[in-house]
């Protein structure tokens, strides 16, 4: 039989903000305490509630009520009203002020706050402003509670419910009933599929205008997430019709209307009809304009330039080849320069010489790269301070608290104060980051873009480095000579052979490039574990955390997901001294190697100086950043991860879905990183994925040793396979158009 008990919430012991699961202590008028366990979508300490449920006996915590239903009620007595107001639920009212308010208005207290808040000034310590604020808060609490109860029936989590209420306020009821697809456009975390489920429950038809337009926007957003800045119209129509299960003819009129509303841009070029989300079309166009504005020509006499370069060679005891000299000369003569080339072709020496050239001119220089690892390597190889592009542009927390948006302090109104900007690993820079960078660079500042155009394109949308080169509007120097020291490395020689489509020797006569032939999946995994645990650390003088397993796939027997589960058991097995917590992939344990899997521009980090004092703090953790789990704190419900440069980040338990194990990662995620040793399990997989470009990128991630475990025939097949996944981008056309 169900028990019904009234009382006020004395204390919230535990609360899961995502699903509302709550453990709380309830106290009635007779000061009888009982623990209540159940789903409370919205509740505060001090609230007066009526709960119904069954009394159960917990083996550890004793008697408690398993709550089946509850109702928040107006407190009936002065004590309960005082407890609610003094609980902290209403900002500005503490226990003492709560006592004075209830003493003044007695049982009429809540009515006065709700209907005549101006009367609160009759209480000592309350001004007119505070009285108004209390009235507004009281009403907002009531409205938010009602909104969360309303949204719960549509399967919307508590966190999303709060976001929705904060975005729309009382308008949310009309939006849910008339056009729930607006949620997918306006609020991070509400995708098209959730909006579509709500629409079905509300009774909105499958051919609704709102649904079709939302489906088009969603398909373009998915394309952006796959790296495209547009989709051919035919491809888009197929994506949308598959999503909505509608005929293509129904979409034509909506595409036209969305174009008139400037939500999409429609272009016919290169014998193809293309559809862009407006944001990305104008982003490419503005990047083109800003690049061309920077592309100034500087008059420098050739004989003076030759003399200066010779002097730099002599001073630094180096000998540049003709292409390296050309790169230095082009940097001196042009506002924009691209320097590209594979490993061992002297990019670092070239950049160092360019830096010294500009230094001798008394010019200020800033160096940056897309990732922390790449920036650290740039600093080590040049000897000059280098930072991530995000730090260079002074990333700050977005006002709307949306982790998917980024705001930079450096922009067109607050530009970088420098004469030269040099960006390394440009193949990793997507169109959004490039747009932010260009906005921060004043006309007259030189921009030098350095990267390997043969690497995989950026994870984010666009194909910036290739498009800039393809436009033929900027000087490009492609370094090709492999220097003597680099030529001693089979990693570098083989990387160039792979890039040229030439077969490589897999006979294990090398000191840094090995092929361990295995045909059985379990054998391959066993060899990989042995290499990481026993062989490689000594061979390359590194820890097991520095040796990276790279694989082409996420799924499958040799995919990231399965490999991580197995490697975790061998490389960081359970121990009584190590705390662990369940998360999306299974178990997260102290000492685990993890990766951030989405850009979070709000996430705060800090660096201590090793003596317990804070030396630096900032915000922003990015897709692909790797670190080690240092602490799991069940009391604070946090996971502390230490990333590159000793940055420590605290994740709340509900944010753990932004992390995944990283003993094995995809080759795509390894871009911009360099590891002492790389181990690649390669056996079989889809032709489109197992290609030359992917193998080249993986091999060039290793500094001291590459070991491939699996099928030598598949490796040779990858070298022959030139096919790449098509990436739709058009910065080159926008440059030519401008």
């Amino acid at each position: 039989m169900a028990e019904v008990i009234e009382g006020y919430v004395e204390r919230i012991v535990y609360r899961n903000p995502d699903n509302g699961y709550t453990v709380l202590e309830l106290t009635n008028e007779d000061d009888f305490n009982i623990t209540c366990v159940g789903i409370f979508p919205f509740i505060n300490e001090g609230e007066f509630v009526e709960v119904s449920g069954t009394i159960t006996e917990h083996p550890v915590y004793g008697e408690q009520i398993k709550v089946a239903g509850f109702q928040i009620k107006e407190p009936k007595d002065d004590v309960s009203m005082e407890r609610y107001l003094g609980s902290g639920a209403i900002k500005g009212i503490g226990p003492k002020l709560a006592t004075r308010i209830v003493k003044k208005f007695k049982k009429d207290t809540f009515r006065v706050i709700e209907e005549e808040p101006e009367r609160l000034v009759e209480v000592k310590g309350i001004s007119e402003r505070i009285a108004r604020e209390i009235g507004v808060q009281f009403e907002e609490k009531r409205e938010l509670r009602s909104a969360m109860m309303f949204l719960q029936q549509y399967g919307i989590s508590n966190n999303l419910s709060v976001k929705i209420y904060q975005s729309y306020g009382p308008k949310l009821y009309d939006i849910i009933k008339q056009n729930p697809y607006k949620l997918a456009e306006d609020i991070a975390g509400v995708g098209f599929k959730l909006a579509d489920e709500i629409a079905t429950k509300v009774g909105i038809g499958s051919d609704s205008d709102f649904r079709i337009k939302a489906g088009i926007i969603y398909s373009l957003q998915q394309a952006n997430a796959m790296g495209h800045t547009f989709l051919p119209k035919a491809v888009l129509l197929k994506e949308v019709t598959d999503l909505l299960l509608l005929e293509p003819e129904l979409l034509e009129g909506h595409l036209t209307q969305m174009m008139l509303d400037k939500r999409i841009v429609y272009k016919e070029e290169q014998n193809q009809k293309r559809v862009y989300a407006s944001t990305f079309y104008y982003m490419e166009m503005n990047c083109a304009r800003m690049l061309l504005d920077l592309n100034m020509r500087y008059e420098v006499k050739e004989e003076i330039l030759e003399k200066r370069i010779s002097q730099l060679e002599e001073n630094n005891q180096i000998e540049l080849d003709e292409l390296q000299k050309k790169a230095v000369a082009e940097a001196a003569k042009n506002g924009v320069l691209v320097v590209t080339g594979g490993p061992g072709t002297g990019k670092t020496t070239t950049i160092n010489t360019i830096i010294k050239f500009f230094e001798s001119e008394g010019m200020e220089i800033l160096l940056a790269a897309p990732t922390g690892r790449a920036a650290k390597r740039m600093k080590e190889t040049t000897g000059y301070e280098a930072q991530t592009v995000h730090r260079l542009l002074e990333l700050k927390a977005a006002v709307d608290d949306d982790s998917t948006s980024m705001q930079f302090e450096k922009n067109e109104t607050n530009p970088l104060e420098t004469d030269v900007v040099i960006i390394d690993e440009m193949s990793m820079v997507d169109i959004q980051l490039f747009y932010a960078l260009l906005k921060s660079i004043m006309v007259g500042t030189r921009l030098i873009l350095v990267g390997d155009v043969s690497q995989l394109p950026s994870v984010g949308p666009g194909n910036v480095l290739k498009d800039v080169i393809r436009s033929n509007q900027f000087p490009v120097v492609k370094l090709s000579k492999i220097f003597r020291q680099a030529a001693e490395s089979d990693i570098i020689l083989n990387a160039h052979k792979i890039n040229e489509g030439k077969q490589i020797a897999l006979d294990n006569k090398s000191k840094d490039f090995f092929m361990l032939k295995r045909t059985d999946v379990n054998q391959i995994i066993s060899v990989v574990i042995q290499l990481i645990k026993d062989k490689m650390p000594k061979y390359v003088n590194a820890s097991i955390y520095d040796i990276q397993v790279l694989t082409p796939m996420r799924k499958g027997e040799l995919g990231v997901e399965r490999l991580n589960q197995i490697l975790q058991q061998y490389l960081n097995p359970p121990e009584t001294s190590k705390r662990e917590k369940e998360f999306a992939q299974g178990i997260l344990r102290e000492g685990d190697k993890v990766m951030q899997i989405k850009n979070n521009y709000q996430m705060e980090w800090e660096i201590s100086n090793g003596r317990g004092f804070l030396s630096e703090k900032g915000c922003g953790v990015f897709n692909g950043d790797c670190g080690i789990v240092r602490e799991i704190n069940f009391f604070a419900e946090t996971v502390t991860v230490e990333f590159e440069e000793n940055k420590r980040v605290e994740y709340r338990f509900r944010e753990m879905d932004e992390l995944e194990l990283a003993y094995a990662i995809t080759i795509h995620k390894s871009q911009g990183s360099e590891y002492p040793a790389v181990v690649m399990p390669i056996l079989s997989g889809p032709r489109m994925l197992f290609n030359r470009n992917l193998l080249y990128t993986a091999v060039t991630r290793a500094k001291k040793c590459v070991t491939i475990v699996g099928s030598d025939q598949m490796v040779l097949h990858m070298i022959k396979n030139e096919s790449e996944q098509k990436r739709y981008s058009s910065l080159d056309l926008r440059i030519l158009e401008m």
Side-chain angles (χ1 to χ4, degrees), residues 1-18:
M1 183 177 168
E3 295 280 342
V4 178
I5 297 177
E6 284 186 348
Y8 66 89
V9 180
E10 178 75 40
R11 184 167 74 97
I12 293 175
V13 180
Y14 170 78
R15 181 168 178 75
N16 183 324
D18 290 320

Side-chain angles (χ1 to χ4, degrees), residues 433-450:
L433 188 58
F434 195 50
Y435 174 62
L437 174 69
L438 291 175
K439 283 203 298 180
S440 74
I441 299 176
M442 287 187 290
V443 174
T445 305
R446 285 174 166 85
L447 175 63
I448 298 169
L449 309 176
V450 186

Side-chain angles (χ1 to χ4, degrees), residues 82-97:
E82 196 176 305
R83 278 171 167 160
Y84 174 70
L85 291 175
S87 68
I90 306 294
K91 286 180 186 174
I93 302 181
K96 289 182 180 177
L97 187 53

Side-chain angles (χ1 to χ4, degrees), residues 534-569:
D534 305 323
K535 308 282 185 183
M536 283 298 164
K538 295 173 188 172
Y539 194 72
V540 298
N541 190 27
S543 79
I544 61 170
Y545 292 114
D546 294 321
I547 297 157
Q548 189 61 59
V549 177
L550 298 181
T551 176
M553 306 172 294
R554 282 199 61 80
K555 306 285 184 183
E557 292 184 303
L558 292 174
V560 164
E561 292 174 8
R562 182 166 186 257
L563 284 174
N564 273 321
Q565 294 295 325
I566 296 169
L567 291 170
Q568 181 192 44
Q569 291 304 307

Side-chain angles (χ1 to χ4, degrees), residues 82 85 92-106 109 120 122-126:
E82 196 176 305
L85 291 175
I93 302 181
K96 289 182 180 177
L97 187 53
T99 301
R100 294 205 295 273
I101 292 170
V102 176
K103 188 176 180 182
K104 172 70 179 173
F105 299 111
K106 299 188 170 54
T109 297
L120 290 170
E122 298 171 25
V123 178
K124 185 181 176 184
I126 298 182

